[in-house]
């Protein structure tokens, strides 16, 4: 966890977004533990980013979490759907990452019951995954390092290829509309709007390495801090 906290404390938001792909996101609920791998996310680079809620250092009660410590959970509602974001820069610098897609692993039956869906439609969008993971509004302002919703770096997987794409639903924002600030695991079926022909049998993951002298997932997280080690 120290490596993960260092990542959030010292690296640019785009580097953190790439490193989050394959990270295991877990939510401990009264009904059981729900979790899966992050496969799709978007970086928001306020205050300059015209699509960010914190553009121009806007600071209202709704966005106060964006100005808190790295790792703070920022939740907001859009068209009745709750969206989860993680703050990525030191206190007072309002940047963050929206989690857009999740490949479910633990508690799949509970997620399917919650969503009344099966397959990729369980968690292939930002509102869908929040509903599937049963992320409550009360987690606003809590930390992904200490709250029931947290990251588990020991379970991280590694993408074979990372896509850098324009964000979804960002019209009329000048250069920020087409800027490649969405990052996704190529070939994963839980990406928003992925074509069936693009889905890979292995869901876009590198095969896990064994422990006999080879790198484990914590080592891979360390390498993720160095942006050049992640393919675009």
């Amino acid at each position: 966890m120290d490596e993960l906290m260092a990542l959030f404390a010292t690296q640019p938001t785009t580097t953190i977004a790439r490193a989050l792909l394959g990270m295991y996101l877990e939510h401990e609920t009264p009904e059981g533990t729900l979790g899966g791998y992050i496969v799709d996310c978007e970086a928001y680079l306020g205050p300059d980013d015209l699509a960010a809620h914190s553009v121009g250092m806007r600071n209202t009660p709704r966005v106060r979490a964006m100005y808190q410590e790295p790792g703070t959970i920022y939740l907001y509602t859009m068209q009745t759907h709750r969206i989860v974001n993680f703050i990525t820069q030191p206190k007072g610098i309002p940047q963050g990452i929206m989690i857009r897609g999740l490949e479910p692993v633990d508690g799949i039956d509970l997620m399917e019951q919650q969503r009344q869906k099966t397959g990729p439609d369980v968690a292939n969008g930002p509102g869908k995954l929040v509903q599937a993971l049963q992320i409550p509004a009360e987690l606003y302002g809590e930390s992904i390092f200490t709250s029931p919703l947290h990251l588990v770096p020991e379970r991280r997987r590694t993408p074979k290829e990372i896509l850098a794409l324009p964000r979804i639903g960002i019209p009329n924002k000048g250069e920020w509309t087409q800027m490649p600030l969405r990052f996704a695991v190529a070939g994963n079926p839980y990406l928003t709007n992925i074509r069936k022909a693009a889905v890979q049998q292995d869901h876009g993951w590198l095969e896990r390495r064994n422990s006999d002298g080879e790198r484990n997932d914590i080592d891979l997280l360390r390498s993720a801090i160095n942006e050049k080690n992640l393919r675009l």
Side-chain angles (χ1 to χ4, degrees):
M1 186 63 73
D2 288 346
E3 295 287 345
L4 186 60
M5 294 176 73
L7 177 74
F8 273 73
T10 64
Q11 298 301 307
T13 298
T14 51
T15 299
I16 298 169
R18 294 182 178 98
L20 282 180
L21 296 177
M23 187 66 68
Y24 196 83
L25 178 63
E26 181 176 86
H27 185 211
E28 297 175 356
T29 77
E31 296 182 14
T33 299
L34 310 173
Y37 299 110
I38 296 172
V39 299
D40 196 348
C41 61
E42 295 180 353
Y44 286 86
L45 308 181
D48 298 324
D49 186 345
L50 295 182
H53 291 170
S54 57
V55 60
M57 295 298 287
R58 180 186 300 151
N59 193 350
T60 65
R62 179 197 186 200
V63 301
R64 62 179 173 78
M66 295 198 72
Y67 293 85
Q68 295 178 11
E69 292 78 7
T72 297
I73 297 168
Y74 170 49
L75 295 163
Y76 67 91
T77 301
M78 182 175 64
Q79 299 177 351
T80 74
H81 300 294
R82 189 174 298 131
I83 310 295
V84 65
N85 302 254
F86 303 148
I87 303 311
T88 54
Q89 295 300 301
K91 188 173 182 178
I93 302 176
Q95 296 189 8
I97 295 169
M98 182 182 79
I99 309 303
R100 172 167 283 282
L102 184 92
E103 180 177 328
V105 177
D106 290 331
I108 292 177
D109 289 345
L110 288 173
M111 292 191 213
E112 291 177 345
Q113 292 173 21
Q114 186 73 13
R115 286 278 301 132
Q116 293 296 297
K117 300 286 184 179
T118 60
D121 202 36
V122 169
N124 64 351
K128 296 176 185 180
L129 72 88
V130 167
Q131 184 181 12
L133 291 175
Q134 301 182 35
I135 299 174
E138 289 74 19
L139 286 179
Y140 183 100
E142 298 294 321
S143 173
I144 54 169
F145 303 126
T146 58
S147 76
L149 179 68
H150 50 261
L151 300 172
V152 186
E154 294 81 6
R155 298 188 65 176
R156 184 178 185 270
R157 299 200 70 176
T158 305
K160 292 192 299 183
E161 180 184 4
I162 292 175
L163 304 174
L165 307 163
R167 294 171 295 188
I168 294 176
I170 308 295
N172 306 317
K173 301 299 181 183
E175 64 179 347
W176 294 95
T177 291
Q178 293 301 318
M179 201 170 291
L181 292 173
R182 176 190 172 203
F183 303 96
V185 178
N188 192 279
Y190 288 86
L191 301 190
T192 300
N193 298 335
I194 189 172
R195 295 177 293 105
K196 288 183 178 180
V199 173
Q200 299 176 18
Q201 187 174 4
D202 58 10
H203 292 191
W205 302 118
L206 285 176
E207 185 178 353
R208 287 186 179 274
R209 297 170 182 259
N210 61 40
S211 59
D212 297 331
E214 295 183 307
R215 295 189 302 170
N216 59 27
D217 284 343
I218 294 298
D219 294 319
L220 291 169
L221 176 60
R222 292 191 184 105
S223 72
I225 293 177
N226 188 336
E227 195 166 355
K228 70 181 182 181
N229 290 328
L230 294 169
R231 290 192 299 162
L232 295 180

